[in-house]
Amino acid sequence: DGGITQSPKYLFRKEGQNVTLSCEQNLNHDAMYWYRQDPGQGLRLIYYSQIVNDFQKGDIAEGYSVSREKKESFPLTVTSAQKNPTAFYLCASSIIGGRNTDTQYFGPGTRLTVL
Amino acid sequence: ILNVEQSPQSLHVQEGDSTNFTCSFPSSNFYALHWYRWETAKSPEALFVMTLNGDEKKKGRISATLNTKEGYSYLYIKGSQPEDSATYLCAFIKEAYSGAGSYQLTFGKGTKLSVIP
């Protein structure tokens, strides 16, 4: 089955620790995205990548880092510099980044709780 | 309007009722508007991508209209069923930065629909 997987579903970390969230897709999509959801807010874009070895900051990139070494993988690292890391994180992909009509396909999300 | 606004925030309807909700967005520099449905414990799924003023799209009992001049889109559900219960998100396409030639989605907070059997 084609799709996007995110692991783990729930993640707990101590304050001050970096943590990496996994996102893998087998849809052969060029573009991948990371969003964050907080209660009462819309999805906000953290980072996106239109092609391997290239990525751009979204609206709330501070305290996060990404890499895109393989087409199918786009891991997100939440660093200790992120002031409020507890949130629900969604990964998405689209066929080609940069076209305004491209539908995004979403993973199931990871809920990160920092204690 | 500077961002995407959705109303109402939540909605409870009886099974069989028809319902509609609104997405408002900046009317200048319009590129496209996306609608997604997000059921609890599942991933958001695309419903429609709308690009032209006056566009009307339909998928089963769900339809959407678009007015780019005044900056709004309506989503209609005819004869709501319990399986329609979900949060409906609209997302406005904006240019990543001026002249970028690449686009990103700006999401509204969603309308949470509950259909009571």
Side-chain angles (χ1 to χ4, degrees):
Chain A
D1 280 330
I4 300 179
T5 55
Q6 291 185 245
S7 60
K9 192 172 180 180
Y10 299 96
L11 191 53
F12 296 88
R13 278 295 181 267
K14 289 184 181 176
E15 197 171 340
Q17 288 181 334
N18 290 358
V19 60
T20 297
L21 281 57
S22 165
C23 177
E24 304 276 330
Q25 54 99 359
N26 61 5
L27 299 168
N28 200 31
H29 285 175
D30 281 331
M32 297 186 75
Y33 312 82
W34 273 105
Y35 293 92
R36 169 183 171 138
Q37 189 198 34
D38 295 282
Q41 299 236 26
L43 296 177
R44 292 183 291 167
L45 182 66
I46 304 172
Y47 266 99
Y48 65 101
S49 167
Q50 292 185 242
I51 200 164
V52 173
N53 292 323
D54 185 57
F55 47 82
Q56 305 293 332
K57 291 181 180 180
D59 296 324
I60 54 164
E62 188 175 343
Y64 298 97
S65 66
V66 292
S67 63
R68 186 85 187 279
E69 295 175 6
K70 297 187 295 182
K71 187 175 185 176
E72 54 271 20
S73 177
F74 191 39
L76 174 76
T77 297
V78 185
T79 75
S80 56
Q82 169 48 234
K83 292 188 171 64
N84 291 300
T86 294
F88 185 70
Y89 291 87
L90 269 174
C91 179
S93 70
S94 63
I95 293 174
I96 297 174
R99 291 195 311 198
N100 55 39
T101 54
D102 278 346
T103 296
Q104 290 188 12
Y105 295 79
F106 287 84
T110 292
R111 185 166 297 282
L112 172 65
T113 303
V114 175
L115 306 170
Chain B
I1 299 258
L2 296 178
N3 287 308
V4 181
E5 295 176 3
Q6 292 189 248
S7 62
Q9 191 175 342
S10 65
L11 193 54
H12 291 77
V13 301
Q14 290 290 138
E15 183 175 352
D17 286 351
S18 295
T19 187
N20 66 84
F21 21 94
T22 306
C23 172
S24 301
F25 53 85
S27 55
S28 59
N29 297 321
F30 178 82
Y31 295 105
L33 189 87
H34 294 224
W35 280 100
Y36 287 83
R37 174 169 60 197
W38 193 358
E39 294 178 66
T40 302
K42 293 189 177 179
S43 307
E45 284 184 323
L47 283 172
F48 306 114
V49 178
M50 310 186 78
T51 55
L52 298 175
N53 186 43
D55 244 358
E56 183 168 341
K57 301 255 175 147
K58 192 173 179 182
K59 193 174 190 176
R61 293 177 292 97
I62 304 177
S63 60
T65 61
L66 179 68
N67 183 323
T68 60
K69 293 188 189 316
E70 295 181 42
Y72 65 84
S73 176
Y74 292 140
L75 192 80
Y76 300 91
I77 302 179
K78 187 177 177 183
S80 303
Q81 299 297 309
E83 58 265 31
D84 296 328
S85 297
T87 296
Y88 291 82
L89 303 174
C90 74
F92 173 74
I93 286 281
K94 70 174 188 180
E95 206 166 13
Y97 51 89
S98 180
S102 68
Y103 305 92
Q104 60 186 63
L105 292 175
T106 299
F107 282 86
K109 296 178 183 179
T111 292
K112 185 172 182 180
L113 173 67
S114 301
V115 181
I116 304 160

Short mmCIF file of all heavy atoms in Angstrom, two decimals, chain B residues 47-111:
data_model
loop_
_atom_site.label_atom_id
_atom_site.label_comp_id
_atom_site.label_asym_id
_atom_site.label_seq_id
_atom_site.Cartn_x
_atom_site.Cartn_y
_atom_site.Cartn_z
N LEU B 47 -10.27 16.94 -0.17
CA LEU B 47 -11.61 16.91 -0.75
C LEU B 47 -11.60 17.61 -2.11
O LEU B 47 -11.97 17.02 -3.12
CB LEU B 47 -12.61 17.62 0.17
CG LEU B 47 -13.08 16.87 1.40
CD1 LEU B 47 -13.92 17.80 2.29
CD2 LEU B 47 -13.88 15.64 1.03
N PHE B 48 -11.21 18.87 -2.11
CA PHE B 48 -11.27 19.66 -3.33
C PHE B 48 -10.07 20.60 -3.42
O PHE B 48 -9.56 21.06 -2.40
CB PHE B 48 -12.53 20.54 -3.36
CG PHE B 48 -13.82 19.80 -3.16
CD1 PHE B 48 -14.60 20.03 -2.03
CD2 PHE B 48 -14.27 18.89 -4.10
CE1 PHE B 48 -15.79 19.36 -1.83
CE2 PHE B 48 -15.47 18.21 -3.91
CZ PHE B 48 -16.23 18.45 -2.78
N VAL B 49 -9.70 20.90 -4.66
CA VAL B 49 -8.79 22.00 -4.95
C VAL B 49 -9.54 22.93 -5.87
O VAL B 49 -10.04 22.51 -6.92
CB VAL B 49 -7.50 21.52 -5.63
CG1 VAL B 49 -6.60 22.72 -5.95
CG2 VAL B 49 -6.75 20.53 -4.76
N MET B 50 -9.64 24.20 -5.49
CA MET B 50 -10.44 25.15 -6.25
C MET B 50 -9.56 26.30 -6.70
O MET B 50 -8.79 26.85 -5.89
CB MET B 50 -11.59 25.64 -5.38
CG MET B 50 -12.34 24.45 -4.76
SD MET B 50 -13.79 24.94 -3.87
CE MET B 50 -14.92 25.20 -5.23
N THR B 51 -9.69 26.66 -7.96
CA THR B 51 -8.78 27.66 -8.48
C THR B 51 -9.49 28.83 -9.17
O THR B 51 -8.94 29.93 -9.23
CB THR B 51 -7.81 27.03 -9.50
OG1 THR B 51 -8.56 26.37 -10.51
CG2 THR B 51 -6.89 26.03 -8.82
N LEU B 52 -10.67 28.60 -9.72
CA LEU B 52 -11.29 29.65 -10.53
C LEU B 52 -12.49 30.26 -9.82
O LEU B 52 -13.29 29.54 -9.21
CB LEU B 52 -11.75 29.07 -11.87
CG LEU B 52 -10.65 28.51 -12.77
CD1 LEU B 52 -11.25 27.86 -14.00
CD2 LEU B 52 -9.67 29.61 -13.16
N ASN B 53 -12.65 31.56 -9.95
CA ASN B 53 -13.81 32.23 -9.39
C ASN B 53 -15.07 31.61 -9.96
O ASN B 53 -15.18 31.40 -11.18
CB ASN B 53 -13.77 33.72 -9.71
CG ASN B 53 -14.88 34.48 -9.03
OD1 ASN B 53 -15.16 34.24 -7.85
ND2 ASN B 53 -15.51 35.38 -9.73
N GLY B 54 -16.01 31.28 -9.10
CA GLY B 54 -17.24 30.66 -9.56
C GLY B 54 -17.16 29.15 -9.64
O GLY B 54 -18.16 28.48 -9.93
N ASP B 55 -15.98 28.59 -9.37
CA ASP B 55 -15.80 27.13 -9.33
C ASP B 55 -16.84 26.50 -8.41
O ASP B 55 -17.15 27.03 -7.36
CB ASP B 55 -14.41 26.80 -8.74
CG ASP B 55 -13.51 26.10 -9.74
OD1 ASP B 55 -13.96 25.83 -10.86
OD2 ASP B 55 -12.36 25.81 -9.36
N GLU B 56 -17.35 25.36 -8.86
CA GLU B 56 -18.17 24.55 -7.97
C GLU B 56 -17.71 23.11 -8.16
O GLU B 56 -17.64 22.61 -9.28
CB GLU B 56 -19.66 24.69 -8.30
CG GLU B 56 -20.54 23.92 -7.35
CD GLU B 56 -22.03 24.26 -7.47
OE1 GLU B 56 -22.34 25.34 -8.02
OE2 GLU B 56 -22.86 23.47 -6.99
N LYS B 57 -17.38 22.46 -7.03
CA LYS B 57 -16.92 21.08 -7.11
C LYS B 57 -17.86 20.22 -6.27
O LYS B 57 -18.43 20.68 -5.29
CB LYS B 57 -15.49 20.95 -6.55
CG LYS B 57 -14.49 21.81 -7.27
CD LYS B 57 -13.62 21.04 -8.17
CE LYS B 57 -12.70 21.95 -8.96
NZ LYS B 57 -11.42 21.38 -9.26
N LYS B 58 -17.98 18.95 -6.67
CA LYS B 58 -18.89 18.05 -5.97
C LYS B 58 -18.26 16.67 -5.84
O LYS B 58 -17.61 16.17 -6.77
CB LYS B 58 -20.20 17.96 -6.74
CG LYS B 58 -21.31 17.30 -5.98
CD LYS B 58 -22.63 17.40 -6.72
CE LYS B 58 -23.71 16.69 -5.91
NZ LYS B 58 -25.01 16.70 -6.59
N LYS B 59 -18.50 16.07 -4.67
CA LYS B 59 -18.02 14.71 -4.42
C LYS B 59 -19.09 14.04 -3.57
O LYS B 59 -19.18 14.24 -2.36
CB LYS B 59 -16.71 14.79 -3.66
CG LYS B 59 -15.91 13.52 -3.58
CD LYS B 59 -14.56 13.84 -2.90
CE LYS B 59 -13.62 12.67 -2.99
NZ LYS B 59 -12.30 13.02 -2.42
N GLY B 60 -19.96 13.28 -4.24
CA GLY B 60 -21.05 12.64 -3.50
C GLY B 60 -22.00 13.69 -2.96
O GLY B 60 -22.52 14.53 -3.69
N ARG B 61 -22.17 13.69 -1.63
CA ARG B 61 -23.09 14.64 -1.01
C ARG B 61 -22.40 15.94 -0.60
O ARG B 61 -23.03 16.83 -0.04
CB ARG B 61 -23.71 13.98 0.23
CG ARG B 61 -24.63 12.82 -0.09
CD ARG B 61 -25.17 12.15 1.18
NE ARG B 61 -24.14 11.45 1.93
CZ ARG B 61 -23.51 11.96 2.96
NH1 ARG B 61 -23.81 13.18 3.42
NH2 ARG B 61 -22.58 11.27 3.60
N ILE B 62 -21.14 16.04 -0.86
CA ILE B 62 -20.37 17.22 -0.45
C ILE B 62 -20.06 18.06 -1.69
O ILE B 62 -19.65 17.52 -2.72
CB ILE B 62 -19.06 16.82 0.23
CG1 ILE B 62 -19.34 15.91 1.43
CG2 ILE B 62 -18.29 18.05 0.68
CD1 ILE B 62 -18.09 15.41 2.12
N SER B 63 -20.27 19.35 -1.56
CA SER B 63 -19.93 20.26 -2.65
C SER B 63 -19.31 21.52 -2.08
O SER B 63 -19.43 21.80 -0.88
CB SER B 63 -21.17 20.59 -3.49
OG SER B 63 -22.15 21.22 -2.69
N ALA B 64 -18.62 22.25 -2.94
CA ALA B 64 -17.96 23.48 -2.51
C ALA B 64 -18.06 24.51 -3.61
O ALA B 64 -18.05 24.17 -4.80
CB ALA B 64 -16.51 23.22 -2.14
N THR B 65 -18.15 25.78 -3.20
CA THR B 65 -18.16 26.88 -4.15
C THR B 65 -17.05 27.85 -3.80
O THR B 65 -16.55 27.86 -2.67
CB THR B 65 -19.52 27.61 -4.13
OG1 THR B 65 -19.73 28.13 -2.80
CG2 THR B 65 -20.66 26.68 -4.51
N LEU B 66 -16.71 28.68 -4.75
CA LEU B 66 -15.58 29.59 -4.56
C LEU B 66 -15.91 30.97 -5.12
O LEU B 66 -16.39 31.08 -6.25
CB LEU B 66 -14.34 29.05 -5.28
CG LEU B 66 -13.07 29.90 -5.20
CD1 LEU B 66 -12.53 29.92 -3.78
CD2 LEU B 66 -12.01 29.38 -6.17
N ASN B 67 -15.66 32.00 -4.32
CA ASN B 67 -15.77 33.38 -4.76
C ASN B 67 -14.45 34.06 -4.45
O ASN B 67 -14.17 34.43 -3.31
CB ASN B 67 -16.94 34.07 -4.03
CG ASN B 67 -17.15 35.50 -4.51
OD1 ASN B 67 -16.20 36.22 -4.81
ND2 ASN B 67 -18.41 35.92 -4.57
N THR B 68 -13.62 34.21 -5.46
CA THR B 68 -12.29 34.77 -5.22
C THR B 68 -12.34 36.29 -5.10
O THR B 68 -11.44 36.90 -4.50
CB THR B 68 -11.32 34.40 -6.36
OG1 THR B 68 -11.84 34.93 -7.59
CG2 THR B 68 -11.15 32.91 -6.47
N LYS B 69 -13.35 36.91 -5.68
CA LYS B 69 -13.42 38.39 -5.64
C LYS B 69 -13.71 38.88 -4.23
O LYS B 69 -13.17 39.89 -3.78
CB LYS B 69 -14.49 38.89 -6.60
CG LYS B 69 -14.14 38.63 -8.07
CD LYS B 69 -15.12 39.31 -9.00
CE LYS B 69 -14.94 38.91 -10.45
NZ LYS B 69 -13.56 38.86 -10.90
N GLU B 70 -14.59 38.16 -3.53
CA GLU B 70 -14.92 38.55 -2.17
C GLU B 70 -14.18 37.72 -1.12
O GLU B 70 -14.27 37.99 0.07
CB GLU B 70 -16.43 38.47 -1.95
CG GLU B 70 -17.16 39.48 -2.84
CD GLU B 70 -18.66 39.43 -2.62
OE1 GLU B 70 -19.09 39.34 -1.46
OE2 GLU B 70 -19.39 39.47 -3.62
N GLY B 71 -13.47 36.70 -1.55
CA GLY B 71 -12.61 35.94 -0.65
C GLY B 71 -13.34 34.97 0.26
O GLY B 71 -13.12 34.98 1.48
N TYR B 72 -14.20 34.12 -0.31
CA TYR B 72 -14.81 33.10 0.52
C TYR B 72 -15.12 31.85 -0.29
O TYR B 72 -15.24 31.88 -1.51
CB TYR B 72 -16.07 33.60 1.24
CG TYR B 72 -17.21 33.97 0.33
CD1 TYR B 72 -18.09 33.00 -0.14
CD2 TYR B 72 -17.44 35.29 -0.03
CE1 TYR B 72 -19.14 33.33 -0.96
CE2 TYR B 72 -18.49 35.64 -0.86
CZ TYR B 72 -19.33 34.66 -1.32
OH TYR B 72 -20.38 35.00 -2.15
N SER B 73 -15.20 30.75 0.42
CA SER B 73 -15.61 29.48 -0.14
C SER B 73 -16.59 28.85 0.84
O SER B 73 -16.43 28.95 2.07
CB SER B 73 -14.40 28.56 -0.33
OG SER B 73 -14.78 27.29 -0.79
N TYR B 74 -17.63 28.21 0.30
CA TYR B 74 -18.58 27.49 1.12
C TYR B 74 -18.43 26.00 0.87
O TYR B 74 -18.24 25.57 -0.26
CB TYR B 74 -20.02 27.88 0.77
CG TYR B 74 -20.43 29.29 1.11
CD1 TYR B 74 -21.23 30.03 0.23
CD2 TYR B 74 -20.05 29.88 2.30
CE1 TYR B 74 -21.62 31.31 0.54
CE2 TYR B 74 -20.43 31.17 2.61
CZ TYR B 74 -21.22 31.89 1.72
OH TYR B 74 -21.61 33.16 2.03
N LEU B 75 -18.56 25.23 1.94
CA LEU B 75 -18.63 23.78 1.82
C LEU B 75 -20.03 23.36 2.26
O LEU B 75 -20.49 23.78 3.33
CB LEU B 75 -17.57 23.10 2.71
CG LEU B 75 -17.39 21.61 2.45
CD1 LEU B 75 -16.50 21.40 1.24
CD2 LEU B 75 -16.80 20.91 3.64
N TYR B 76 -20.70 22.57 1.42
CA TYR B 76 -22.06 22.12 1.71
C TYR B 76 -22.06 20.61 1.88
O TYR B 76 -21.40 19.90 1.12
CB TYR B 76 -23.01 22.44 0.55
CG TYR B 76 -23.14 23.89 0.20
CD1 TYR B 76 -22.30 24.48 -0.73
CD2 TYR B 76 -24.14 24.68 0.79
CE1 TYR B 76 -22.43 25.82 -1.07
CE2 TYR B 76 -24.27 26.02 0.45
CZ TYR B 76 -23.42 26.58 -0.47
OH TYR B 76 -23.55 27.91 -0.80
N ILE B 77 -22.81 20.13 2.84
CA ILE B 77 -23.04 18.70 2.98
C ILE B 77 -24.55 18.48 2.97
O ILE B 77 -25.27 19.01 3.82
CB ILE B 77 -22.41 18.12 4.26
CG1 ILE B 77 -20.91 18.40 4.28
CG2 ILE B 77 -22.67 16.61 4.33
CD1 ILE B 77 -20.19 17.90 5.52
N LYS B 78 -24.98 17.69 2.02
CA LYS B 78 -26.41 17.43 1.87
C LYS B 78 -26.76 16.13 2.60
O LYS B 78 -26.09 15.12 2.41
CB LYS B 78 -26.74 17.30 0.38
CG LYS B 78 -28.19 17.19 0.05
CD LYS B 78 -28.39 17.14 -1.45
CE LYS B 78 -29.85 16.94 -1.79
NZ LYS B 78 -30.07 16.82 -3.25
N GLY B 79 -27.80 16.16 3.41
CA GLY B 79 -28.23 14.94 4.10
C GLY B 79 -27.12 14.33 4.93
O GLY B 79 -26.68 13.20 4.69
N SER B 80 -26.64 15.08 5.93
CA SER B 80 -25.48 14.65 6.73
C SER B 80 -25.68 13.25 7.32
O SER B 80 -26.77 12.89 7.77
CB SER B 80 -25.25 15.64 7.88
OG SER B 80 -25.07 16.94 7.38
N GLN B 81 -24.59 12.50 7.32
CA GLN B 81 -24.57 11.16 7.90
C GLN B 81 -23.53 11.12 9.01
O GLN B 81 -22.57 11.92 9.00
CB GLN B 81 -24.22 10.13 6.83
CG GLN B 81 -25.22 10.06 5.68
CD GLN B 81 -26.58 9.63 6.16
OE1 GLN B 81 -26.73 8.62 6.85
NE2 GLN B 81 -27.60 10.41 5.80
N PRO B 82 -23.65 10.18 9.96
CA PRO B 82 -22.66 10.12 11.04
C PRO B 82 -21.23 10.01 10.53
O PRO B 82 -20.31 10.56 11.15
CB PRO B 82 -23.08 8.87 11.82
CG PRO B 82 -24.56 8.79 11.60
CD PRO B 82 -24.77 9.26 10.19
N GLU B 83 -21.04 9.35 9.40
CA GLU B 83 -19.67 9.21 8.87
C GLU B 83 -19.11 10.53 8.32
O GLU B 83 -17.92 10.61 7.99
CB GLU B 83 -19.61 8.13 7.78
CG GLU B 83 -20.52 8.36 6.60
CD GLU B 83 -21.84 7.63 6.72
OE1 GLU B 83 -22.33 7.44 7.87
OE2 GLU B 83 -22.40 7.26 5.67
N ASP B 84 -19.95 11.56 8.23
CA ASP B 84 -19.46 12.89 7.83
C ASP B 84 -18.82 13.62 9.00
O ASP B 84 -18.22 14.69 8.81
CB ASP B 84 -20.60 13.74 7.28
CG ASP B 84 -21.20 13.18 6.01
OD1 ASP B 84 -20.46 12.55 5.22
OD2 ASP B 84 -22.43 13.35 5.81
N SER B 85 -18.98 13.08 10.20
CA SER B 85 -18.40 13.73 11.38
C SER B 85 -16.88 13.80 11.22
O SER B 85 -16.21 12.77 11.06
CB SER B 85 -18.74 12.96 12.66
OG SER B 85 -20.13 12.96 12.87
N ALA B 86 -16.36 15.01 11.27
CA ALA B 86 -14.93 15.24 11.04
C ALA B 86 -14.67 16.73 11.22
O ALA B 86 -15.60 17.53 11.37
CB ALA B 86 -14.53 14.82 9.63
N THR B 87 -13.40 17.08 11.18
CA THR B 87 -13.03 18.49 11.11
C THR B 87 -12.71 18.80 9.66
O THR B 87 -11.95 18.08 9.01
CB THR B 87 -11.81 18.78 12.00
OG1 THR B 87 -12.16 18.54 13.36
CG2 THR B 87 -11.38 20.24 11.85
N TYR B 88 -13.32 19.86 9.15
CA TYR B 88 -13.13 20.26 7.76
C TYR B 88 -12.19 21.47 7.73
O TYR B 88 -12.47 22.50 8.33
CB TYR B 88 -14.48 20.56 7.10
CG TYR B 88 -15.29 19.30 6.94
CD1 TYR B 88 -16.04 18.78 8.00
CD2 TYR B 88 -15.27 18.58 5.74
CE1 TYR B 88 -16.74 17.60 7.87
CE2 TYR B 88 -15.97 17.40 5.60
CZ TYR B 88 -16.71 16.91 6.67
OH TYR B 88 -17.40 15.73 6.54
N LEU B 89 -11.09 21.28 7.02
CA LEU B 89 -10.06 22.32 6.97
C LEU B 89 -10.04 22.96 5.60
O LEU B 89 -10.14 22.26 4.58
CB LEU B 89 -8.67 21.71 7.20
CG LEU B 89 -8.44 20.92 8.48
CD1 LEU B 89 -7.05 20.28 8.45
CD2 LEU B 89 -8.55 21.82 9.69
N CYS B 90 -9.91 24.27 5.56
CA CYS B 90 -9.59 24.88 4.28
C CYS B 90 -8.19 25.45 4.37
O CYS B 90 -7.70 25.79 5.46
CB CYS B 90 -10.61 25.93 3.86
SG CYS B 90 -10.53 27.48 4.75
N ALA B 91 -7.53 25.51 3.24
CA ALA B 91 -6.14 25.97 3.19
C ALA B 91 -5.97 26.85 1.96
O ALA B 91 -6.33 26.46 0.86
CB ALA B 91 -5.18 24.79 3.15
N PHE B 92 -5.42 28.00 2.22
CA PHE B 92 -5.21 29.00 1.17
C PHE B 92 -3.78 28.89 0.70
O PHE B 92 -2.86 28.76 1.51
CB PHE B 92 -5.48 30.37 1.81
CG PHE B 92 -5.17 31.55 0.95
CD1 PHE B 92 -5.98 31.89 -0.11
CD2 PHE B 92 -4.06 32.33 1.22
CE1 PHE B 92 -5.71 32.98 -0.89
CE2 PHE B 92 -3.78 33.44 0.45
CZ PHE B 92 -4.60 33.76 -0.61
N ILE B 93 -3.60 28.92 -0.60
CA ILE B 93 -2.26 28.86 -1.15
C ILE B 93 -1.66 30.26 -1.15
O ILE B 93 -2.27 31.21 -1.63
CB ILE B 93 -2.29 28.33 -2.59
CG1 ILE B 93 -2.57 26.84 -2.59
CG2 ILE B 93 -1.00 28.63 -3.31
CD1 ILE B 93 -1.38 25.98 -2.27
N LYS B 94 -0.47 30.39 -0.61
CA LYS B 94 0.24 31.65 -0.74
C LYS B 94 1.63 31.38 -1.29
O LYS B 94 2.16 30.28 -1.15
CB LYS B 94 0.31 32.39 0.59
CG LYS B 94 1.23 31.75 1.62
CD LYS B 94 1.34 32.65 2.85
CE LYS B 94 2.41 32.11 3.79
NZ LYS B 94 2.56 32.94 5.01
N GLU B 95 2.20 32.39 -1.89
CA GLU B 95 3.54 32.25 -2.41
C GLU B 95 4.50 32.17 -1.23
O GLU B 95 4.35 32.94 -0.27
CB GLU B 95 3.89 33.45 -3.30
CG GLU B 95 4.93 33.14 -4.34
CD GLU B 95 5.03 34.22 -5.40
OE1 GLU B 95 4.48 35.31 -5.21
OE2 GLU B 95 5.67 33.95 -6.42
N ALA B 96 5.44 31.24 -1.29
CA ALA B 96 6.34 31.03 -0.16
C ALA B 96 7.05 32.32 0.21
O ALA B 96 7.21 32.66 1.37
CB ALA B 96 7.35 29.93 -0.49
N TYR B 97 7.52 33.05 -0.77
CA TYR B 97 8.01 34.40 -0.59
C TYR B 97 7.93 35.05 -1.96
O TYR B 97 7.82 34.37 -2.98
CB TYR B 97 9.43 34.45 0.00
CG TYR B 97 10.44 33.60 -0.71
CD1 TYR B 97 11.19 34.09 -1.78
CD2 TYR B 97 10.67 32.29 -0.31
CE1 TYR B 97 12.11 33.30 -2.43
CE2 TYR B 97 11.59 31.50 -0.97
CZ TYR B 97 12.30 32.01 -2.02
OH TYR B 97 13.21 31.22 -2.66
N SER B 98 7.95 36.35 -2.01
CA SER B 98 7.70 37.07 -3.25
C SER B 98 8.65 36.61 -4.35
O SER B 98 9.86 36.59 -4.17
CB SER B 98 7.86 38.57 -2.99
OG SER B 98 7.62 39.29 -4.17
N GLY B 99 8.08 36.21 -5.46
CA GLY B 99 8.89 35.77 -6.58
C GLY B 99 9.44 34.37 -6.43
O GLY B 99 10.22 33.91 -7.26
N ALA B 100 9.01 33.66 -5.40
CA ALA B 100 9.58 32.33 -5.16
C ALA B 100 9.20 31.35 -6.25
O ALA B 100 9.96 30.45 -6.58
CB ALA B 100 9.09 31.79 -3.82
N GLY B 101 7.98 31.51 -6.75
CA GLY B 101 7.50 30.51 -7.69
C GLY B 101 7.16 29.20 -7.02
O GLY B 101 6.95 28.20 -7.67
N SER B 102 7.18 29.19 -5.70
CA SER B 102 6.74 27.99 -4.99
C SER B 102 5.71 28.43 -3.96
O SER B 102 5.72 29.57 -3.51
CB SER B 102 7.90 27.27 -4.32
OG SER B 102 8.44 28.04 -3.27
N TYR B 103 4.87 27.50 -3.60
CA TYR B 103 3.69 27.86 -2.83
C TYR B 103 3.58 27.02 -1.58
O TYR B 103 4.05 25.90 -1.51
CB TYR B 103 2.45 27.67 -3.70
CG TYR B 103 2.54 28.44 -4.99
CD1 TYR B 103 3.06 27.83 -6.13
CD2 TYR B 103 2.16 29.76 -5.05
CE1 TYR B 103 3.19 28.55 -7.31
CE2 TYR B 103 2.28 30.48 -6.23
CZ TYR B 103 2.80 29.86 -7.35
OH TYR B 103 2.92 30.57 -8.50
N GLN B 104 2.93 27.58 -0.58
CA GLN B 104 2.68 26.81 0.62
C GLN B 104 1.25 27.02 1.06
O GLN B 104 0.61 28.01 0.70
CB GLN B 104 3.66 27.19 1.74
CG GLN B 104 3.61 28.63 2.16
CD GLN B 104 4.71 28.95 3.18
OE1 GLN B 104 5.89 28.86 2.90
NE2 GLN B 104 4.29 29.31 4.38
N LEU B 105 0.74 26.04 1.80
CA LEU B 105 -0.63 26.10 2.29
C LEU B 105 -0.68 26.82 3.63
O LEU B 105 0.15 26.57 4.50
CB LEU B 105 -1.19 24.68 2.48
CG LEU B 105 -1.43 23.84 1.23
CD1 LEU B 105 -1.86 22.44 1.62
CD2 LEU B 105 -2.48 24.48 0.36
N THR B 106 -1.66 27.70 3.77
CA THR B 106 -1.96 28.32 5.06
C THR B 106 -3.33 27.82 5.48
O THR B 106 -4.32 28.09 4.79
CB THR B 106 -1.97 29.86 4.95
OG1 THR B 106 -0.68 30.29 4.55
CG2 THR B 106 -2.31 30.48 6.30
N PHE B 107 -3.38 27.10 6.59
CA PHE B 107 -4.61 26.44 7.01
C PHE B 107 -5.43 27.31 7.94
O PHE B 107 -4.88 28.05 8.77
CB PHE B 107 -4.27 25.14 7.74
CG PHE B 107 -3.90 24.01 6.84
CD1 PHE B 107 -2.60 23.85 6.41
CD2 PHE B 107 -4.86 23.10 6.41
CE1 PHE B 107 -2.25 22.80 5.57
CE2 PHE B 107 -4.52 22.06 5.58
CZ PHE B 107 -3.21 21.91 5.15
N GLY B 108 -6.76 27.17 7.83
CA GLY B 108 -7.64 27.70 8.86
C GLY B 108 -7.68 26.75 10.04
O GLY B 108 -7.09 25.67 10.01
N LYS B 109 -8.41 27.17 11.08
CA LYS B 109 -8.48 26.35 12.30
C LYS B 109 -9.45 25.19 12.15
O LYS B 109 -9.46 24.28 12.98
CB LYS B 109 -8.87 27.21 13.49
CG LYS B 109 -7.84 28.27 13.83
CD LYS B 109 -8.29 29.13 14.99
CE LYS B 109 -7.27 30.24 15.25
NZ LYS B 109 -7.67 31.12 16.37
N GLY B 110 -10.26 25.22 11.13
CA GLY B 110 -11.17 24.11 10.88
C GLY B 110 -12.55 24.33 11.45
O GLY B 110 -12.77 25.14 12.36
N THR B 111 -13.51 23.60 10.88
CA THR B 111 -14.87 23.51 11.43
C THR B 111 -15.09 22.06 11.82
O THR B 111 -14.96 21.17 10.98
CB THR B 111 -15.92 23.94 10.40
OG1 THR B 111 -15.80 25.33 10.14
CG2 THR B 111 -17.32 23.64 10.91
#
